[in-house]
Amino acid sequence: MTRSARPQAAKAPILIGLGANLPSRLGPPEATLEAALDALARRGARILKRSCWYRSAPVPASDQPWFVNGVVEIAWDETPEALLAALHAIEAELGRVRRVLNEARIVDLDLLAFGDLVREAAPIVPHPRLHERAFVLAPLAEIQPAWRHPTLGATAAELLARLPPGQAIEPTGR
C-alpha cells in the first residue's frame, strides 16, 4: 500500500520590525538599518525576505524626525528569548541608549512574531501593538501578504485597512 505524501503546512514566519529616525556613527537611518541586518546575520539569523524601506511619521505624533521602517522575515534556530537578546545587543552595538518611551532613536529592532507563538511574558509575541501601526503593517503586507495575526486572525493587509486615518507612511525603495 502506497501512502501519498501530504503537503506540509507552511511554517509561520519569524518577523522583525526595524526602525530609526536619528543618524548614527554609520550615517543616515538607512545605513544603520542595513548594519542591523548584517549584525543579525552574523548572529545566526538567515534573512529570508525583506521589505523596502518606508518613511513614516512618529507614533504617537510628535515633532521628532520621520522614521525609516521595514520588516524582515528570518529563519532562527534558537529560542525567542535568544532572538530578543540578540536584537537588544545589536541595538546597543549600534549606539542605542534607552531612556524614554517613544523617544527619537538611532535604531529600534522589534520581535513582531515568532511563528504562531502567543506569549504574554517576555518576549511578548505577537508584538502587542503591531496591529495598530501602519509602519509595521505596510512592510509586513509587502513581504508576507498571507500572514495572519495569531490571535486576531486577520491578515496584515486587513489590519492595515482597518487603521484609522492619520498614520502617514510612504515607501522609499531599498
Side-chain angles (χ1 to χ4, degrees), residues 143-156:
I143 65 168
Q144 272 292 337
W147 178 83
R148 290 196 174 272
H149 191 287
T151 58
L152 301 176
T155 67

Side-chain angles (χ1 to χ4, degrees), residues 2-147:
T2 306
R3 288 185 352 175
S4 60
R6 290 178 44 180
Q8 289 189 334
K11 185 176 178 185
I14 298 171
L15 302 166
I16 308 295
L18 302 94
N21 70 339
L22 294 176
S24 73
R25 62 180 163 71
L26 301 170
E30 293 89 346
T32 307
L33 297 176
E34 293 290 342
L37 290 175
D38 291 343
L40 194 54
R42 283 193 311 273
R43 284 173 170 78
R46 292 173 308 285
I47 309 295
L48 303 176
K49 294 181 184 177
R50 64 177 279 186
S51 71
C52 69
W53 298 126
Y54 288 77
R55 281 181 23 88
S56 63
V59 176
S62 73
D63 61 356
Q64 293 180 29
W66 277 41
F67 279 82
V68 175
N69 295 98
V71 170
V72 294
E73 176 186 347
I74 67 167
W76 179 258
D77 296 330
E78 297 182 48
T79 65
E81 293 83 1
L83 179 53
L84 185 62
L87 296 177
H88 287 169
I90 293 166
E91 288 177 339
E93 175 184 304
L94 294 173
R96 178 165 184 191
V97 177
R98 293 174 183 267
R99 291 178 284 245
V100 178
L101 188 64
N102 298 319
E103 68 184 337
R105 48 200 164 273
I106 288 172
V107 65
D108 187 23
L109 304 174
D110 288 329
L111 176 54
L112 301 175
F114 198 93
D116 286 330
L117 184 62
V118 176
R119 289 177 52 161
E120 294 184 14
I124 299 169
V125 286
H127 189 286
R129 291 173 300 283
L130 81 82
H131 64 285
E132 301 169 351
R133 297 175 167 172
F135 66 82
V136 170
L137 294 171
L140 176 52
E142 176 192 332
I143 65 168
Q144 272 292 337
W147 178 83

